[in-house]
């Protein structure tokens, strides 16, 4: 069966997004600079620049770039919350950077939104379990990424559905924003460390569900 995983950047004090993050207003509460510092590790990677940003050849190669490539190649479907979709809808290019079906958790009724490059957004009103069921059907033997935001990830952690957490921990402090590990129910899922990869601007840790 395909695995369900989370792959995100995280600030040193546990935030996925800085306070005030609103697309189109990066100067508001300086969130753009904060988020850029947290995600600096990915911006110069060859795979990201060539395949996701479409900037042409160039960029860093090595273990972190290989990690980024394998993470994207294993993914057969994405699930995200409505807040993340709303933030990205106006800023994602025509060739949105998912290249899979994307299931959006929402109360809004809306027809599927098809983009070039294999990305189609489906708007799911029946809850996280139904979104995961549909994602499994479309992913086949590939894996399912819970893309974010924090509340969507928390829902799947509470369902016990997350098999792996891949976290790029950046040495930056936000002091406020959207925390990843909040609103979790008891008993919380247990994980073990499978791999640690040191980079110049982030430490990459993969946690897998403890047996």
């Amino acid at each position: 069966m395909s695995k369900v995983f989370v792959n995100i950047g995280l600030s040193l004090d546990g935030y996925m997004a800085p306070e005030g993050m609103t697309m189109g207003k990066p100067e508001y509460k300086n969130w753009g600079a904060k988020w850029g510092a947290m995600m600096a590790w990915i911006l110069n990677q060859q795979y990201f620049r060539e395949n996701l940003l479409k900037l042409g050849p160039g960029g860093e190669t090595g273990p972190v770039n290989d990690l980024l490539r394998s993470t994207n190649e294993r993914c057969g479907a994405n699930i995200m919350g409505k807040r993340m979709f709303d933030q990205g809808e106006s800023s994602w290019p025509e060739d949105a950077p998912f290249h899979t079906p994307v299931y959006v958790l929402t109360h809004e009724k809306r027809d599927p939104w098809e983009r070039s490059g294999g990305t189609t957004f489906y708007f799911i009103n029946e809850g996280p379990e139904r979104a995961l069921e549909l994602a499994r059907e479309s992913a086949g033997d590939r894996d399912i990424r819970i893309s974010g935001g924090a509340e969507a990830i928390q829902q799947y952690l509470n369902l016990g559905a997350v098999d792996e957490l891949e976290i790029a921990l950046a040495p930056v402090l936000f002091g406020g924003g959207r925390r990843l590990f909040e609103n979790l129910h008891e008993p919380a899922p247990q994980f073990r460390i499978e791999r640690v990869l040191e980079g110049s601007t982030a430490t990459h840790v993969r946690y897998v569900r403890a047996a």
Side-chain angles (χ1 to χ4, degrees), residues 7 19 32 35 49 56 59 63 91 94 113 126 137 142-143 147 161 172 182 184 197-198 204:
N7 173 258
E19 185 178 1
W35 188 87
R49 294 175 64 84
S91 59
E94 173 66 26
W113 188 41
E126 297 85 5
E137 291 175 1
R142 297 171 72 191
D143 294 333
S147 302
V172 298
E182 286 188 329
L184 298 183
L197 177 62
E198 295 182 3
H204 304 267

Coordinates of all heavy atoms in Angstrom, one line a residue, residues 7 19 32 35 49 56 59 63 91 94 113 126 137 142-143 147 161 172 182 184 197-198 204:
N7 N 6.1 16.5 4.0 CA 7.4 17.0 3.6 C 7.4 18.5 3.7 O 6.7 19.1 2.8 CB 7.8 16.5 2.2 CG 9.1 17.2 1.7 OD1 9.0 18.1 0.9 ND2 10.2 16.7 2.2
E19 N 3.9 34.6 11.1 CA 2.7 35.4 11.4 C 2.5 36.4 10.2 O 3.4 37.0 9.7 CB 2.8 36.1 12.7 CG 1.6 36.9 13.1 CD 1.7 37.6 14.4 OE1 2.8 37.5 15.0 OE2 0.8 38.3 14.9
G32 N 7.7 37.7 4.3 CA 8.4 37.2 3.1 C 9.8 36.9 3.4 O 10.3 35.9 3.0
W35 N 10.0 33.7 5.7 CA 9.7 32.5 5.0 C 10.9 32.2 4.0 O 11.3 31.0 3.9 CB 8.4 32.6 4.2 CG 8.0 31.3 3.6 CD1 7.2 30.4 4.2 CD2 8.2 30.9 2.3 NE1 7.0 29.3 3.3 CE2 7.6 29.6 2.1 CE3 8.9 31.5 1.2 CZ2 7.7 28.9 0.9 CZ3 9.0 30.8 0.0 CH2 8.4 29.5 -0.1
R49 N 15.0 24.2 -9.2 CA 15.2 25.3 -10.2 C 14.8 24.8 -11.6 O 14.1 25.5 -12.3 CB 16.6 25.9 -10.2 CG 17.0 26.6 -8.9 CD 18.4 27.0 -8.9 NE 18.7 28.0 -10.0 CZ 18.5 29.3 -9.8 NH1 18.0 29.8 -8.7 NH2 18.7 30.1 -10.8
G56 N 15.5 27.0 -15.9 CA 16.6 26.5 -16.8 C 17.7 25.8 -16.0 O 17.6 25.7 -14.8
G59 N 22.2 25.3 -10.6 CA 21.8 25.0 -9.3 C 22.7 24.0 -8.6 O 23.5 23.3 -9.3
P63 N 23.5 15.5 -2.1 CA 22.5 14.7 -1.3 C 21.2 15.4 -1.1 O 20.2 14.8 -1.1 CB 23.3 14.5 0.0 CG 24.7 14.6 -0.3 CD 24.8 15.6 -1.4
S91 N -0.9 32.6 -7.1 CA 0.6 32.8 -7.3 C 1.2 31.6 -8.1 O 2.3 31.7 -8.6 CB 1.3 33.0 -6.0 OG 1.1 31.9 -5.1
E94 N 0.7 28.6 -14.4 CA -0.2 27.7 -15.2 C 0.2 26.3 -15.0 O -0.6 25.4 -14.8 CB -0.2 28.1 -16.6 CG -0.9 27.2 -17.6 CD -2.4 27.2 -17.3 OE1 -2.9 28.2 -16.8 OE2 -3.1 26.2 -17.6
W113 N -10.4 21.9 -10.9 CA -9.6 23.0 -11.6 C -8.4 22.3 -12.2 O -7.4 22.0 -11.5 CB -9.2 24.1 -10.6 CG -8.6 25.3 -11.2 CD1 -8.9 25.9 -12.4 CD2 -7.5 26.0 -10.7 NE1 -8.1 27.0 -12.6 CE2 -7.3 27.1 -11.6 CE3 -6.7 25.9 -9.5 CZ2 -6.2 28.0 -11.3 CZ3 -5.7 26.8 -9.3 CH2 -5.5 27.9 -10.2
E126 N -16.2 16.1 1.9 CA -16.6 15.0 2.8 C -15.6 14.7 3.9 O -15.7 13.7 4.5 CB -16.9 13.8 2.0 CG -18.1 13.9 1.0 CD -17.6 14.5 -0.4 OE1 -16.4 14.7 -0.5 OE2 -18.5 14.7 -1.2
E137 N -6.7 6.0 -4.4 CA -7.1 5.5 -5.7 C -6.3 6.1 -6.8 O -5.9 5.3 -7.7 CB -8.6 5.8 -5.9 CG -9.5 5.1 -4.9 CD -11.0 5.5 -5.1 OE1 -11.2 6.3 -5.9 OE2 -11.8 4.9 -4.3
R142 N 2.2 4.7 -5.9 CA 3.1 5.8 -5.5 C 2.5 6.3 -4.1 O 1.4 5.9 -3.7 CB 3.1 6.9 -6.5 CG 3.8 6.4 -7.8 CD 3.6 7.4 -8.9 NE 4.5 8.6 -8.7 CZ 4.4 9.7 -9.4 NH1 3.4 9.8 -10.4 NH2 5.2 10.7 -9.2
D143 N 3.2 7.3 -3.5 CA 2.9 7.8 -2.2 C 2.0 9.0 -2.2 O 1.9 9.7 -3.3 CB 4.1 8.0 -1.4 CG 4.9 6.7 -1.1 OD1 4.2 5.6 -1.1 OD2 6.1 6.7 -1.0
S147 N 0.4 18.1 1.9 CA 1.3 19.2 1.6 C 1.2 20.3 2.6 O 2.1 21.1 2.7 CB 0.9 19.8 0.2 OG 1.0 18.8 -0.8
A161 N -2.8 8.5 10.3 CA -2.6 8.2 8.9 C -1.2 8.5 8.3 O -0.9 8.0 7.2 CB -3.7 8.9 8.0
V172 N 16.2 29.4 11.9 CA 15.6 30.7 11.9 C 14.5 30.6 13.0 O 13.8 29.6 13.2 CB 15.0 31.1 10.6 CG1 16.1 31.3 9.5 CG2 14.0 30.2 10.1
E182 N 0.4 21.3 17.0 CA -0.6 21.8 17.9 C -1.9 21.0 17.7 O -2.0 20.3 16.7 CB -0.9 23.2 17.8 CG 0.2 24.2 18.3 CD -0.2 25.6 18.2 OE1 -1.0 26.0 17.3 OE2 0.2 26.4 19.1
L184 N -3.1 18.3 18.8 CA -3.0 16.8 18.6 C -3.7 16.1 19.7 O -3.6 16.5 20.9 CB -1.5 16.4 18.5 CG -0.7 17.0 17.4 CD1 0.7 16.4 17.4 CD2 -1.4 16.7 16.1
L197 N 20.2 14.3 7.5 CA 21.0 14.8 6.4 C 21.3 16.3 6.7 O 20.4 17.1 6.8 CB 20.3 14.7 5.1 CG 21.1 15.2 3.9 CD1 22.4 14.5 3.7 CD2 20.2 15.1 2.6
E198 N 22.6 16.6 6.9 CA 23.0 18.0 7.2 C 23.2 18.8 6.0 O 23.9 18.3 5.0 CB 24.2 18.0 8.1 CG 24.1 17.3 9.4 CD 25.3 17.4 10.3 OE1 26.3 18.0 9.8 OE2 25.4 16.9 11.4
H204 N 17.9 18.1 7.5 CA 16.8 17.3 7.0 C 16.7 16.0 7.8 O 17.6 15.2 7.8 CB 17.0 17.0 5.5 CG 17.3 18.2 4.7 ND1 16.2 18.9 4.1 CD2 18.4 19.0 4.5 CE1 16.7 20.0 3.5 NE2 18.0 20.0 3.7

